[in-house]
C-alpha cells in the first residue's frame, strides 16, 4: 500500500472521508444561510446608511463599523461564550449564524453601497423625468444596475465566507475543521488530516475564484458597451 503524508495510506484516508464530508456539509449549510441572511442585511444597511434620518444613519454606521472592525472569531465567541454570562444561551450553530451574518452584512453593505454609488446620477434624473417615484427609481433603475456592478465583489466575498466558516470549530460546531481536529486527536496524524482538509477547501475555492474572475471579466465587458 502506498504511504502518503507521514505514513498515512489511501485506505486510512478513505476511512476519514465520511467524517470530513459530514463536516463539509455543515460548512456549506452555514455558508448558504449566512449569505441568504447577510446579503439582504447588507442591502438594507447600504440604504439606511444614506438615510436622511440621523438616528437611523448613526445606528447603521455603528453596526457596520463593529461588524467590520471586530474579527469574526470575536463575534462568534461573544455570541457563544459571552452571552451566557447574561443568561442567554445560544447553540453553536445559532451563534455561528448570528456572528457570521453580522460580519457578512457589514462587509456586503459597503460592497453594495459602492455599486449603488457607481450608477451614474443621470439615471436617477432620467427616471424622475419619466415621473417615477423615488422608490420606483431605486428598485427598477438604481438597484439592478448597482447590484450588477457589485456582483463580482459579492461572489468573491462569498468564497471568503465559505473559508471563514472554518473558524466555527472554535465554538464547538462540528464543521470540517473540527472533524479534522478530532481525526488528528484520535489517530495522531494531524499533518495528514489538516493537509487533506486544506486540499478539500482548495478544490472548492480555486474553481470558485476562477469563476468569479470570469464573471468579473464579463461584467467589465458589458459595462464598456
Amino acid at each position: 500500500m502506498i504511504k502518503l503524508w507521514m505514513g498515512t495510506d489511501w485506505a486510512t484516508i478513505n476511512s476519514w472521508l465520511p467524517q470530513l464530508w459530514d463536516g463539509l456539509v455543515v460548512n456549506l449549510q452555514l455558508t448558504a444561510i449566512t449569505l441568504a441572511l447577510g446579503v439582504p442585511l447588507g442591502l438594507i444597511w447600504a440604504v439606511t446608511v444614506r438615510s436622511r434620518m440621523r438616528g437611523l444613519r448613526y445606528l447603521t454606521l455603528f453596526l457596520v463599523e463593529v461588524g467590520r472592525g471586530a474579527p469574526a472569531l470575536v463575534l462568534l465567541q461573544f455570541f457563544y461564550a459571552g452571552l451566557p454570562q447574561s443568561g442567554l444561551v445560544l447553540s453553536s450553530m445559532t451563534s455561528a449564524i448570528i456572528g457570521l451574518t453580522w460580519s457578512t452584512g457589514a462587509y456586503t453593505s459597503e460592497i453594495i453601497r459602492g455599486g449603488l454609488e457607481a450608477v451614474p446620477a443621470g439615471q436617477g434624473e432620467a427616471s424622475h423625468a419619466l415621473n417615477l417615484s423615488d422608490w420606483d427609481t431605486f428598485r427598477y433603475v438604481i438597484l439592478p444596475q448597482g447590484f450588477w456592478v457589485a456582483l463580482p465583489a459579492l461572489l468573491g466575498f462569498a468564497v471568503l465566507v465559505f473559508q471563514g466558516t472554518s473558524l466555527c470549530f472554535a465554538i464547538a460546531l462540528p464543521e470540517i475543521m473540527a472533524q479534522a481536529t478530532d481525526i488528528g486527536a484520535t489517530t495522531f496524524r494531524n499533518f495528514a488530516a489538516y493537509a487533506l482538509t486544506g486540499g478539500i477547501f482548495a478544490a472548492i475555492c480555486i474553481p470558485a475564484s476562477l469563476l468569479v474572475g470570469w464573471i468579473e471579466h464579463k461584467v467589465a465587458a458589458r459595462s464598456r458597451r
Side-chain angles (χ1 to χ4, degrees):
M1 184 67 67
I2 299 177
K3 299 292 185 180
L4 302 171
W5 296 327
M6 305 297 184
T8 305
D9 55 41
W10 283 113
T12 301
I13 292 175
N14 190 57
S15 69
W16 296 346
L17 292 180
Q19 186 174 351
L20 292 176
W21 171 254
D22 290 341
L24 179 61
V25 169
V26 175
N27 290 86
L28 293 172
Q29 290 175 338
L30 182 57
T31 301
I33 295 171
T34 298
L35 292 174
L37 297 176
V39 174
L41 180 62
L43 173 59
I44 293 171
W45 284 349
V47 174
T48 56
V49 78
R50 305 163 66 186
S51 173
R52 296 186 180 92
M53 300 173 60
R54 184 174 299 179
L56 180 60
R57 185 171 69 251
Y58 287 163
L59 175 61
T60 302
L61 283 171
F62 171 78
L63 294 173
V64 169
E65 292 306 316
V66 171
R68 295 176 62 208
L73 183 58
V74 173
L75 294 176
L76 293 173
Q77 291 286 13
F78 171 77
F79 288 111
Y80 182 70
L83 283 185
Q85 299 293 316
S86 65
L88 180 59
V89 179
L90 302 176
S91 68
S92 57
M93 188 63 168
T94 301
S95 300
I97 291 172
I98 296 175
L100 293 181
T101 295
W102 188 353
S103 179
T104 297
Y107 280 100
T108 57
S109 71
E110 293 299 293
I111 295 173
I112 296 172
R113 185 166 66 88
L116 295 177
E117 292 179 351
V119 179
Q123 296 288 325
E125 295 171 358
S127 300
H128 290 144
L130 295 173
N131 292 323
L132 289 179
S133 65
D134 289 342
W135 170 240
D136 286 342
T137 297
F138 175 76
R139 62 175 175 164
Y140 292 131
V141 179
I142 305 300
L143 180 59
Q145 295 183 67
F147 203 83
W148 179 258
V149 172
L151 182 60
L154 289 174
L155 292 175
F157 187 76
V159 177
L160 296 179
V161 171
F162 171 66
Q163 294 174 337
T165 58
S166 62
L167 294 171
C168 296
F169 86 96
I171 60 171
L173 189 70
E175 46 75 60
I176 193 170
M177 272 297 295
Q179 301 289 4
T181 301
D182 183 59
I183 290 172
T186 55
T187 64
F188 301 102
R189 292 174 176 175
N190 294 286
F191 181 90
Y194 288 131
L196 180 58
T197 302
I200 292 172
F201 270 104
I204 295 174
C205 294
I206 292 176
S209 297
L210 293 175
L211 177 61
V212 170
W214 178 81
I215 293 175
E216 185 174 6
H217 175 74
K218 290 295 184 180
V219 171
R222 176 177 171 175
S223 64
R224 288 194 296 267
R225 293 177 183 174

PDB file of all heavy atoms in Angstrom, residues 124-141:
ATOM      1  N   GLY A 124     -30.910  58.402 -12.402  1.00  0.00           N
ATOM      2  CA  GLY A 124     -31.976  58.830 -11.494  1.00  0.00           C
ATOM      3  C   GLY A 124     -32.714  60.043 -12.024  1.00  0.00           C
ATOM      4  O   GLY A 124     -33.938  60.145 -11.908  1.00  0.00           O
ATOM      5  N   GLU A 125     -31.972  60.973 -12.610  1.00  0.00           N
ATOM      6  CA  GLU A 125     -32.601  62.168 -13.153  1.00  0.00           C
ATOM      7  C   GLU A 125     -33.536  61.821 -14.304  1.00  0.00           C
ATOM      8  O   GLU A 125     -34.636  62.381 -14.425  1.00  0.00           O
ATOM      9  CB  GLU A 125     -31.517  63.135 -13.618  1.00  0.00           C
ATOM     10  CG  GLU A 125     -30.654  63.678 -12.480  1.00  0.00           C
ATOM     11  CD  GLU A 125     -29.450  64.449 -12.981  1.00  0.00           C
ATOM     12  OE1 GLU A 125     -29.279  64.519 -14.227  1.00  0.00           O
ATOM     13  OE2 GLU A 125     -28.674  64.964 -12.153  1.00  0.00           O
ATOM     14  N   ALA A 126     -33.119  60.880 -15.135  1.00  0.00           N
ATOM     15  CA  ALA A 126     -33.971  60.467 -16.250  1.00  0.00           C
ATOM     16  C   ALA A 126     -35.235  59.779 -15.743  1.00  0.00           C
ATOM     17  O   ALA A 126     -36.325  59.970 -16.300  1.00  0.00           O
ATOM     18  CB  ALA A 126     -33.198  59.538 -17.177  1.00  0.00           C
ATOM     19  N   SER A 127     -35.088  58.995 -14.688  1.00  0.00           N
ATOM     20  CA  SER A 127     -36.247  58.311 -14.120  1.00  0.00           C
ATOM     21  C   SER A 127     -37.255  59.297 -13.558  1.00  0.00           C
ATOM     22  O   SER A 127     -38.463  59.140 -13.723  1.00  0.00           O
ATOM     23  CB  SER A 127     -35.791  57.344 -13.027  1.00  0.00           C
ATOM     24  OG  SER A 127     -34.906  56.376 -13.556  1.00  0.00           O
ATOM     25  N   HIS A 128     -36.755  60.299 -12.870  1.00  0.00           N
ATOM     26  CA  HIS A 128     -37.645  61.323 -12.322  1.00  0.00           C
ATOM     27  C   HIS A 128     -38.317  62.108 -13.438  1.00  0.00           C
ATOM     28  O   HIS A 128     -39.475  62.551 -13.304  1.00  0.00           O
ATOM     29  CB  HIS A 128     -36.864  62.260 -11.403  1.00  0.00           C
ATOM     30  CG  HIS A 128     -36.426  61.613 -10.133  1.00  0.00           C
ATOM     31  ND1 HIS A 128     -35.221  61.894  -9.524  1.00  0.00           N
ATOM     32  CD2 HIS A 128     -37.019  60.665  -9.360  1.00  0.00           C
ATOM     33  CE1 HIS A 128     -35.100  61.171  -8.427  1.00  0.00           C
ATOM     34  NE2 HIS A 128     -36.184  60.414  -8.305  1.00  0.00           N
ATOM     35  N   ALA A 129     -37.603  62.272 -14.544  1.00  0.00           N
ATOM     36  CA  ALA A 129     -38.201  62.964 -15.681  1.00  0.00           C
ATOM     37  C   ALA A 129     -39.363  62.182 -16.272  1.00  0.00           C
ATOM     38  O   ALA A 129     -40.262  62.747 -16.887  1.00  0.00           O
ATOM     39  CB  ALA A 129     -37.146  63.223 -16.754  1.00  0.00           C
ATOM     40  N   LEU A 130     -39.327  60.858 -16.060  1.00  0.00           N
ATOM     41  CA  LEU A 130     -40.407  59.986 -16.519  1.00  0.00           C
ATOM     42  C   LEU A 130     -41.491  59.828 -15.455  1.00  0.00           C
ATOM     43  O   LEU A 130     -42.350  58.947 -15.570  1.00  0.00           O
ATOM     44  CB  LEU A 130     -39.845  58.620 -16.901  1.00  0.00           C
ATOM     45  CG  LEU A 130     -38.888  58.601 -18.105  1.00  0.00           C
ATOM     46  CD1 LEU A 130     -38.280  57.221 -18.275  1.00  0.00           C
ATOM     47  CD2 LEU A 130     -39.616  59.031 -19.368  1.00  0.00           C
ATOM     48  N   ASN A 131     -41.410  60.647 -14.415  1.00  0.00           N
ATOM     49  CA  ASN A 131     -42.401  60.657 -13.327  1.00  0.00           C
ATOM     50  C   ASN A 131     -42.377  59.386 -12.470  1.00  0.00           C
ATOM     51  O   ASN A 131     -43.399  59.016 -11.882  1.00  0.00           O
ATOM     52  CB  ASN A 131     -43.823  60.873 -13.886  1.00  0.00           C
ATOM     53  CG  ASN A 131     -43.999  62.258 -14.464  1.00  0.00           C
ATOM     54  OD1 ASN A 131     -43.459  63.229 -13.930  1.00  0.00           O
ATOM     55  ND2 ASN A 131     -44.741  62.361 -15.561  1.00  0.00           N
ATOM     56  N   LEU A 132     -41.225  58.738 -12.395  1.00  0.00           N
ATOM     57  CA  LEU A 132     -41.090  57.610 -11.475  1.00  0.00           C
ATOM     58  C   LEU A 132     -40.842  58.148 -10.070  1.00  0.00           C
ATOM     59  O   LEU A 132     -40.118  59.123  -9.883  1.00  0.00           O
ATOM     60  CB  LEU A 132     -39.924  56.704 -11.894  1.00  0.00           C
ATOM     61  CG  LEU A 132     -40.107  55.864 -13.162  1.00  0.00           C
ATOM     62  CD1 LEU A 132     -38.858  55.049 -13.425  1.00  0.00           C
ATOM     63  CD2 LEU A 132     -41.318  54.949 -13.041  1.00  0.00           C
ATOM     64  N   SER A 133     -41.419  57.490  -9.084  1.00  0.00           N
ATOM     65  CA  SER A 133     -41.198  57.901  -7.701  1.00  0.00           C
ATOM     66  C   SER A 133     -39.782  57.520  -7.273  1.00  0.00           C
ATOM     67  O   SER A 133     -39.086  56.760  -7.958  1.00  0.00           O
ATOM     68  CB  SER A 133     -42.213  57.212  -6.783  1.00  0.00           C
ATOM     69  OG  SER A 133     -42.002  55.804  -6.771  1.00  0.00           O
ATOM     70  N   ASP A 134     -39.363  58.063  -6.121  1.00  0.00           N
ATOM     71  CA  ASP A 134     -38.032  57.725  -5.604  1.00  0.00           C
ATOM     72  C   ASP A 134     -37.901  56.216  -5.396  1.00  0.00           C
ATOM     73  O   ASP A 134     -36.855  55.629  -5.700  1.00  0.00           O
ATOM     74  CB  ASP A 134     -37.777  58.463  -4.289  1.00  0.00           C
ATOM     75  CG  ASP A 134     -37.583  59.954  -4.494  1.00  0.00           C
ATOM     76  OD1 ASP A 134     -37.307  60.368  -5.636  1.00  0.00           O
ATOM     77  OD2 ASP A 134     -37.715  60.707  -3.513  1.00  0.00           O
ATOM     78  N   TRP A 135     -38.941  55.601  -4.845  1.00  0.00           N
ATOM     79  CA  TRP A 135     -38.891  54.165  -4.576  1.00  0.00           C
ATOM     80  C   TRP A 135     -38.812  53.366  -5.870  1.00  0.00           C
ATOM     81  O   TRP A 135     -38.024  52.428  -5.991  1.00  0.00           O
ATOM     82  CB  TRP A 135     -40.097  53.747  -3.752  1.00  0.00           C
ATOM     83  CG  TRP A 135     -40.285  52.261  -3.613  1.00  0.00           C
ATOM     84  CD1 TRP A 135     -41.351  51.537  -4.008  1.00  0.00           C
ATOM     85  CD2 TRP A 135     -39.373  51.333  -3.015  1.00  0.00           C
ATOM     86  NE1 TRP A 135     -41.179  50.205  -3.712  1.00  0.00           N
ATOM     87  CE2 TRP A 135     -39.968  50.050  -3.103  1.00  0.00           C
ATOM     88  CE3 TRP A 135     -38.120  51.445  -2.429  1.00  0.00           C
ATOM     89  CZ2 TRP A 135     -39.352  48.902  -2.625  1.00  0.00           C
ATOM     90  CZ3 TRP A 135     -37.500  50.301  -1.957  1.00  0.00           C
ATOM     91  CH2 TRP A 135     -38.106  49.048  -2.049  1.00  0.00           C
ATOM     92  N   ASP A 136     -39.629  53.733  -6.865  1.00  0.00           N
ATOM     93  CA  ASP A 136     -39.602  53.027  -8.151  1.00  0.00           C
ATOM     94  C   ASP A 136     -38.265  53.238  -8.862  1.00  0.00           C
ATOM     95  O   ASP A 136     -37.739  52.319  -9.499  1.00  0.00           O
ATOM     96  CB  ASP A 136     -40.750  53.494  -9.040  1.00  0.00           C
ATOM     97  CG  ASP A 136     -42.097  52.949  -8.591  1.00  0.00           C
ATOM     98  OD1 ASP A 136     -42.100  51.955  -7.830  1.00  0.00           O
ATOM     99  OD2 ASP A 136     -43.138  53.517  -8.971  1.00  0.00           O
ATOM    100  N   THR A 137     -37.734  54.443  -8.742  1.00  0.00           N
ATOM    101  CA  THR A 137     -36.425  54.715  -9.340  1.00  0.00           C
ATOM    102  C   THR A 137     -35.359  53.825  -8.721  1.00  0.00           C
ATOM    103  O   THR A 137     -34.505  53.264  -9.426  1.00  0.00           O
ATOM    104  CB  THR A 137     -36.048  56.191  -9.143  1.00  0.00           C
ATOM    105  OG1 THR A 137     -36.986  57.013  -9.833  1.00  0.00           O
ATOM    106  CG2 THR A 137     -34.650  56.479  -9.668  1.00  0.00           C
ATOM    107  N   PHE A 138     -35.441  53.664  -7.409  1.00  0.00           N
ATOM    108  CA  PHE A 138     -34.440  52.856  -6.732  1.00  0.00           C
ATOM    109  C   PHE A 138     -34.545  51.384  -7.121  1.00  0.00           C
ATOM    110  O   PHE A 138     -33.559  50.760  -7.498  1.00  0.00           O
ATOM    111  CB  PHE A 138     -34.586  53.001  -5.213  1.00  0.00           C
ATOM    112  CG  PHE A 138     -33.657  52.098  -4.438  1.00  0.00           C
ATOM    113  CD1 PHE A 138     -32.319  52.416  -4.332  1.00  0.00           C
ATOM    114  CD2 PHE A 138     -34.124  50.933  -3.837  1.00  0.00           C
ATOM    115  CE1 PHE A 138     -31.449  51.579  -3.632  1.00  0.00           C
ATOM    116  CE2 PHE A 138     -33.269  50.105  -3.143  1.00  0.00           C
ATOM    117  CZ  PHE A 138     -31.932  50.422  -3.046  1.00  0.00           C
ATOM    118  N   ARG A 139     -35.763  50.820  -7.048  1.00  0.00           N
ATOM    119  CA  ARG A 139     -35.873  49.374  -7.244  1.00  0.00           C
ATOM    120  C   ARG A 139     -35.853  48.951  -8.710  1.00  0.00           C
ATOM    121  O   ARG A 139     -35.481  47.810  -9.005  1.00  0.00           O
ATOM    122  CB  ARG A 139     -37.138  48.854  -6.575  1.00  0.00           C
ATOM    123  CG  ARG A 139     -38.451  49.414  -7.110  1.00  0.00           C
ATOM    124  CD  ARG A 139     -39.629  48.729  -6.448  1.00  0.00           C
ATOM    125  NE  ARG A 139     -40.906  49.322  -6.841  1.00  0.00           N
ATOM    126  CZ  ARG A 139     -42.080  48.721  -6.648  1.00  0.00           C
ATOM    127  NH1 ARG A 139     -42.122  47.536  -6.066  1.00  0.00           N
ATOM    128  NH2 ARG A 139     -43.197  49.314  -7.016  1.00  0.00           N
ATOM    129  N   TYR A 140     -36.225  49.845  -9.622  1.00  0.00           N
ATOM    130  CA  TYR A 140     -36.267  49.469 -11.029  1.00  0.00           C
ATOM    131  C   TYR A 140     -35.055  49.955 -11.826  1.00  0.00           C
ATOM    132  O   TYR A 140     -34.736  49.383 -12.866  1.00  0.00           O
ATOM    133  CB  TYR A 140     -37.530  50.019 -11.694  1.00  0.00           C
ATOM    134  CG  TYR A 140     -38.802  49.373 -11.208  1.00  0.00           C
ATOM    135  CD1 TYR A 140     -39.892  50.149 -10.806  1.00  0.00           C
ATOM    136  CD2 TYR A 140     -38.932  47.980 -11.135  1.00  0.00           C
ATOM    137  CE1 TYR A 140     -41.072  49.564 -10.360  1.00  0.00           C
ATOM    138  CE2 TYR A 140     -40.099  47.392 -10.679  1.00  0.00           C
ATOM    139  CZ  TYR A 140     -41.162  48.188 -10.294  1.00  0.00           C
ATOM    140  OH  TYR A 140     -42.330  47.596  -9.847  1.00  0.00           O
ATOM    141  N   VAL A 141     -34.389  50.993 -11.325  1.00  0.00           N
ATOM    142  CA  VAL A 141     -33.294  51.588 -12.091  1.00  0.00           C
ATOM    143  C   VAL A 141     -31.958  51.479 -11.351  1.00  0.00           C
ATOM    144  O   VAL A 141     -30.990  50.899 -11.868  1.00  0.00           O
ATOM    145  CB  VAL A 141     -33.598  53.070 -12.416  1.00  0.00           C
ATOM    146  CG1 VAL A 141     -32.438  53.700 -13.207  1.00  0.00           C
ATOM    147  CG2 VAL A 141     -34.892  53.186 -13.204  1.00  0.00           C
TER     148      VAL A 141
END
